[in-house]
Amino acid sequence: SCRVTMTTLRRFVMDDLFKISNINLDHLTETFSMAFYMDYMVRYPDYFKCVEGANGDIMGYVIGKAEGRHHLLHGHVSAVTVAPTYRRLGLADLLMNDLENVSIKQYNAYFVDLFVRASNSAAIKMYKKFGYSVYRRILGYYSSPGNKEDGLDMRKAMPRDKKKKSIIPLEHPVHPSELEFD
């Protein structure tokens, strides 16, 4: 639960794009193009939320979407981040819980998943605390010129997946080309 008072959890709006530099300049935060943020605002507004402080600062945000069909219907966390000055206050927990609730109530999803750099031990530890487990390793998922890093696909079963079949770990790593998005 969130231990911060005087905060507002709300939908991310266009003007917020001008207020997230304090978050996006952090080296642990993936940054995206304006088109990416706008696409999510339009297509998945209930999955794009921010926490605003009483002073008007955007303290953190989550970006997600629903994808897949049948037993692969799930919520996906595209990004969740909290400004360095507001970390360790329970905001990531608040944002993730909201995304999970949208996945359950609006989509009746089987699970929620997210990808994280295999080297990001702090994030992996946090996601495990939230109930996520490693489903599979994705070889070279994060790549920049001259640098490839594996990603971990972490999942958490939602109530619809009563037998938790969606989170049974794969025994072998996969390549990005093997990821299913439908």
Side-chain angles (χ1 to χ4, degrees), residues 105-124:
K105 292 177 179 151
Q106 287 185 250
Y107 296 96
N108 197 20
Y110 284 91
F111 60 94
V112 170
D113 77 348
L114 57 92
F115 297 159
V116 61
R117 289 179 185 275
S119 65
N120 192 344
S121 56
I124 293 165

Side-chain angles (χ1 to χ4, degrees), residues 129-144:
K129 187 182 83 176
F130 295 161
Y132 288 76
S133 58
V134 176
Y135 172 68
R136 61 187 166 181
R137 178 176 286 268
I138 307 157
L139 300 171
Y141 182 76
Y142 294 96
S143 61
S144 56

Side-chain angles (χ1 to χ4, degrees), residues 83-110:
T85 52
Y86 296 112
R87 290 192 181 141
R88 301 202 173 280
L89 299 173
L91 297 177
D93 195 13
L94 176 74
L95 292 162
M96 292 292 288
N97 281 334
D98 186 75
L99 185 137
E100 291 167 14
N101 285 331
V102 170
S103 298
I104 294 165
K105 292 177 179 151
Q106 287 185 250
Y107 296 96
N108 197 20
Y110 284 91

